[in-house]
Amino acid sequence: MSDTRTDLAVEGMTCAACAARIERGLGRLDGVEDARVNFANGRATVRHSDLVDADDLRETVEALGYGIGAPESDRDAADARRQHDLGRRFVVAVVLGLPVVAVSMIPALRFDGWEWFAGALATPVVFWSGWTFHRTAARNLRHGATTMDTLVSMGTLAAWTWSMVVLLGDLDSHVYFETGVVVIALILLGKWFEIRATRRSGDALRALATLGTDHARLADGTEIAVEEIEVGARLLVRPGERIPTDGRVVDGRSAVDASMVTGEPVPVEVGPGDEVIGATINANGVLEIEATRVGADTMLAQIVRLVDEAQGSRAHVQRLADRVAAVFVPLAITISLLTLVGWLVSGRPAEDAFTAAVAVLIIACPCALGLATPLAIMVGTGRGAQLGVIIKGGEVLEDTRTVDTIVLDKTGTVTAGRMAVVDVAVPGDDRDRLLALAASAEARSEHPVAAAVAAIGPTRLPVDDFTNRPGLGIVATVDGEEVRVGRRSLFDDVPAVVEAAAINAEAAGTTVVLIGRGPVAEAVVAVADTVKPTSAEAVAAFHAQGLTVTLLTGDNERTARSVADAVGIERVVAEVLPADKAGEIARLQQDGSRVAMVGDGINDAPALAQADLGVAIGTGADVAIEASDLTVVSGDLLAVADAIALSRRTLQTIKGNLFWAFAYNAAAIPLAAAGLLDPMIASAAMGLSSVFVVSNSLRLRRFRGHRSTPVSGPIPVPEQELQPS
């Protein structure tokens, strides 16, 4: 049986209890493997077999008293309409409610029949402005459930009913029309702020989804729709245009602004052979690219999908909150009834007993609870996407808190994964000529080391003959001279001064290339992988986060130690076979460590999956990204520090939200039951708790990472003097 994912836009949810009830209802269907309902974005995500279809899921949701809304593309418009409706109801509540409050609270403003005046104005507020609460409460009661809206509806209707009984019965008691009016106005305001915050929290993801262009230009100048691009197509990108899809540069050089996708603040120089990401901006040169990934396979599409899935997830701490919320509303109603009975039995006036009972109902309503976790996750993951950091779910947030060790792959993670010349030793006087000859000859080779040597000569001399000697090097005729570039064995004679320089280079952990005109070696070129510009700063950031840093690599001990020393890593595990990397992670875990693994290659995937927290460098292999928990879109190791910091900040925000939501209710209910809390004050305090949760979550939008001050230029490692000692 196939595993299918279905997304539903659910309407009518008002709190976390609604989401939990829908989850339980969907989970009871045969064939449903997992059901998650996100109150913050109003969406249900269901994974199911072919035993159940989308119609079954819709019918289940509707049977529970909720509706199925517009498709995702129309969600923002639907949310805008709901926000507008809440705003209208709030305005009516304020306009009609202010005179009610004034005449009820200020004796000097009272006149004969003021109670009837207050009742006339309060009635449309209670029933029309508060209709959304009453409708939801009634619907839930029909299905034997209670929610936060049940408390609001019961409290406001009780206040209005008692007041009408006093008026119609001509009882000598106070009326509480102002209580219902104020409660509804304040809660409507809180709901308005909530939906506004929810729409804002999704801005980052919506912005990402619309980054791409809708057209592309083929190499021959023909314009086509982006949807028509096929893998292998040659595309022309002019200065200032967005790159239409992921691809590889085949011709041209330019600077590409990828900040909206990777979070990198500085444009990246690209040339033939370099990968480019769709939706990024070509800054100044004309590029011809070959499409490598199109449609749903592009980096941008994957980012949107991963963030979308993450926003529908939940942290483990939320599950405890859900269980508490499931019993909280019935408990609050029970406490309210006990308060009423207790006051009446003790001989206290009926109006005082009624006031205390209503205050308990109002103050017990934990509206903030429903937004505490999902809103923080939405804002945090959305902000991460803007910074090029993909957090794959609420569980990941908690894993970052417990991690105490971070293991770094070397090649492609700490280093650039590209060979570069780090130093040159030319004992003779003809340095420039010799290097120009070597660079021109190596330009004919496709070997990675040859590419590094070719880059040291800015000009090219004519090459008349070229021979590749596998395992040794190359021999060529350049500008009329025989040139040899390669290993010692390629030469008949290696002078002592050249040999000494070569030995020094090898001792430093670099790869040695000899150069000579004819059979005698004349110079030494030291080639090594280069450390990424920000790797040392990233390692320092890991230490500041309380992490023990380990370098894990298949390279020899000498080379690995050189890289580790360059960036400040103390512990090195070298000469590890790819298949054994996961075993090294497991050994650290057996020693009691909580391990985060950072890698980029296919050989890193098992270790990423084994680690408590897998972090993939987004420039690496797709399989590594799929096996990870966190992905940084750029190749910047400093972005990993940003990812960990943002994850921890988001989890901290969630815990702060939940603490406030629960602590507020736990502290206030006894005060209300004791008659020390007026219903109006209770409603104001309840509204403030929601405002706190919303504003606290939105603070994550201002998160700034370590990459605000860019570092440019590769850092050669090791930086050694190659002259003979």
Side-chain angles (χ1 to χ4, degrees):
M1 292 183 293
S2 61
D3 184 12
T4 304
R5 166 178 163 165
T6 299
D7 292 327
L8 300 172
V10 182
E11 294 183 341
M13 291 192 297
T14 57
C15 63
C18 297
R21 191 154 65 88
I22 297 172
E23 276 188 2
R24 290 194 298 270
L26 292 171
R28 286 194 291 265
L29 290 176
D30 291 334
V32 171
E33 299 167 7
D34 182 58
R36 298 190 177 188
V37 181
N38 190 321
F39 168 59
N41 63 14
R43 191 178 66 194
T45 301
V46 187
R47 297 190 181 277
H48 56 91
S49 69
D50 50 14
L51 294 175
V52 63
D53 58 22
D55 290 336
D56 297 326
L57 302 177
R58 294 189 184 93
E59 290 173 2
T60 301
V61 173
E62 291 170 351
L64 292 170
Y66 301 92
I68 300 298
E72 193 66 29
S73 59
D74 299 328
R75 285 293 297 168
D76 191 56
D79 288 342
R81 288 193 298 271
R82 183 168 175 245
Q83 184 179 351
H84 177 69
D85 180 65
L86 288 172
R88 286 192 304 124
R89 295 179 186 273
F90 170 72
V91 169
V92 170
V94 170
V95 171
L96 298 181
L98 282 176
V100 176
V101 173
V103 75
S104 300
M105 305 299 295
I106 305 175
L109 298 179
R110 293 175 182 173
F111 50 88
D112 290 339
W114 69 269
E115 296 97 336
W116 291 98
F117 171 78
L121 294 180
T123 298
V125 174
V126 170
F127 289 95
W128 186 81
S129 295
W131 174 245
T132 180
F133 309 117
H134 308 316
R135 179 184 58 194
T136 304
R139 180 177 59 201
N140 289 325
L141 285 174
R142 284 200 305 270
H143 293 87
T146 56
T147 66
M148 312 306 174
D149 284 335
T150 305
L151 300 179
V152 177
S153 179
M154 289 182 62
T156 55
L157 289 177
W160 182 87
T161 302
W162 171 261
S163 300
M164 293 303 296
V165 168
V166 169
L167 285 181
L168 295 173
D170 197 22
L171 303 179
D172 186 17
S173 181
H174 185 65
V175 294
Y176 290 95
F177 290 119
E178 76 280 5
T179 298
V181 166
V182 171
V183 167
I184 286 174
L186 289 174
I187 297 178
L188 282 174
L189 181 62
K191 292 285 186 184
W192 185 86
F193 274 119
E194 287 173 10
I195 192 169
R196 179 173 176 265
T198 302
R199 293 181 65 199
R200 289 178 64 191
S201 68
D203 286 348
L205 186 58
R206 284 191 292 272
L208 277 176
T210 57
L211 274 180
T213 182
D214 57 0
H215 67 278
R217 184 178 290 104
L218 297 176
D220 62 5
T222 305
E223 285 201 5
I224 62 172
V226 169
E227 295 79 12
E228 299 175 15
I229 300 175
E230 298 179 351
V231 173
R234 296 291 184 93
L235 306 172
L236 192 67
V237 186
R238 297 172 180 174
E241 294 181 341
R242 290 192 184 273
I243 296 172
T245 192
D246 295 358
R248 182 181 299 107
V249 178
V250 292
D251 189 32
R253 293 187 176 276
S254 182
V256 174
D257 181 3
S259 59
M260 68 292 295
V261 177
T262 67
E264 298 296 330
V266 178
V268 179
E269 297 289 335
V270 298
D274 290 330
E275 301 285 339
V276 290
I277 301 173
T280 57
I281 299 174
N282 179 26
N284 50 29
V286 178
L287 294 176
E288 183 178 340
I289 68 169
E290 179 183 346
T292 55
R293 291 189 289 192
V294 299
D297 296 328
T298 63
M299 177 68 75
L300 181 62
Q302 292 182 54
I303 290 172
V304 172
R305 176 179 62 82
L306 291 171
V307 175
D308 189 49
E309 291 178 353
Q311 293 188 341
S313 68
R314 63 181 61 192
H316 293 296
V317 68
Q318 175 65 18
R319 297 191 178 103
L320 174 61
D322 290 343
R323 289 195 295 271
V324 174
V327 300
F328 194 85
V329 173
L331 182 62
I333 295 173
T334 302
I335 294 174
S336 176
L337 291 174
L338 290 175
T339 299
L340 178 64
V341 173
W343 277 63
L344 293 175
V345 170
S346 65
R348 305 290 293 274
E351 58 266 28
D352 292 346
F354 173 79
T355 301
V358 170
V360 169
L361 286 176
I362 301 301
I363 202 67
C365 183
C367 295
L369 185 62
L371 289 174
T373 297
L375 186 60
I377 290 177
M378 288 184 67
V379 179
T381 52
R383 179 57 179 156
Q386 291 177 322
L387 297 174
V389 172
I390 311 303
I391 304 169
K392 294 187 178 179
E395 296 87 349
V396 175
L397 302 174
E398 291 174 313
D399 291 336
T400 62
R401 178 180 58 86
T402 59
V403 164
D404 54 30
T405 300
I406 186 166
V407 177
L408 307 178
D409 175 54
K410 182 180 76 68
T411 305
T413 301
V414 178
T415 66
R418 296 188 298 272
M419 305 299 283
V421 174
V422 297
D423 216 334
V424 178
V426 185
D429 298 328
D430 200 9
R431 175 187 174 99
D432 293 342
R433 174 68 176 176
L434 191 61
L435 294 181
L437 291 170
S440 299
E442 289 283 65
R444 294 290 188 92
S445 176
E446 297 179 352
H447 195 281
V449 173
V453 177
I456 64 177
T459 60
R460 293 286 182 264
L461 300 174
V463 180
D464 299 324
D465 188 25
F466 178 88
T467 303
N468 181 31
R469 297 188 179 180
L472 297 177
I474 61 102
V475 179
T477 301
V478 183
D479 201 27
E481 295 188 71
E482 179 185 316
V483 179
R484 300 188 183 190
V485 186
R487 308 179 107 177
R488 288 178 177 85
S489 51
L490 186 65
F491 298 87
D492 298 335
D493 182 22
V494 181
V497 65
V498 175
E499 178 66 23
I503 291 173
N504 278 350
E506 289 174 335
T510 63
T511 299
V512 169
V513 178
L514 303 185
I515 303 172
R517 287 168 288 195
V520 180
E522 300 177 63
V524 175
V525 175
V527 179
D529 197 358
T530 56
V531 172
K532 293 177 179 178
T534 56
S535 290
E537 188 180 352
V539 171
F542 295 145
H543 287 148
Q545 291 170 339
L547 301 174
T548 301
V549 186
T550 297
L551 186 68
L552 180 65
T553 178
D555 280 354
N556 63 74
E557 180 76 26
R558 186 171 57 196
T559 301
R561 176 51 61 186
S562 299
V563 173
D565 291 342
V567 299
I569 298 176
E570 299 86 4
R571 186 172 182 271
V572 175
V573 181
E575 301 178 20
V576 179
L577 295 174
D580 296 333
K581 285 188 174 183
E584 289 293 330
I585 300 296
R587 274 188 280 278
L588 287 170
Q589 292 170 326
Q590 289 170 2
D591 293 337
S593 298
R594 297 280 295 178
V595 183
M597 170 69 191
V598 184
D600 74 323
I602 293 175
N603 62 325
D604 297 323
L608 291 169
Q610 174 66 41
D612 299 291
L613 179 70
V615 184
I617 299 294
T619 51
D622 289 346
V623 66
I625 295 172
E626 289 296 324
S628 67
D629 303 301
L630 286 171
T631 299
V632 294
V633 181
S634 72
D636 190 350
L637 189 59
L638 197 59
V640 178
D642 289 345
I644 293 174
L646 176 60
S647 296
R648 290 181 171 181
R649 180 77 63 81
T650 304
L651 180 62
Q652 185 181 9
T653 300
I654 290 172
K655 289 186 171 181
N657 288 348
L658 290 174
F659 172 80
W660 180 261
F662 280 130
Y664 154 80
N665 293 109
I669 286 177
L671 295 176
L676 301 176
L677 204 61
D678 185 87
M680 288 188 293
I681 297 175
S683 62
M686 184 198 61
L688 287 174
S689 71
S690 295
V691 171
F692 171 83
V693 167
V694 169
S695 58
N696 192 44
S697 298
L698 291 178
R699 286 172 59 230
L700 290 167
R701 290 161 56 99
R702 299 194 297 271
F703 173 85
R704 295 178 61 86
H706 297 83
R707 293 172 289 164
S708 55
T709 304
V711 180
S712 59
I715 301 172
V717 58
E719 198 170 284
Q720 300 285 342
E721 179 60 54
L722 301 186
Q723 299 300 326
S725 57

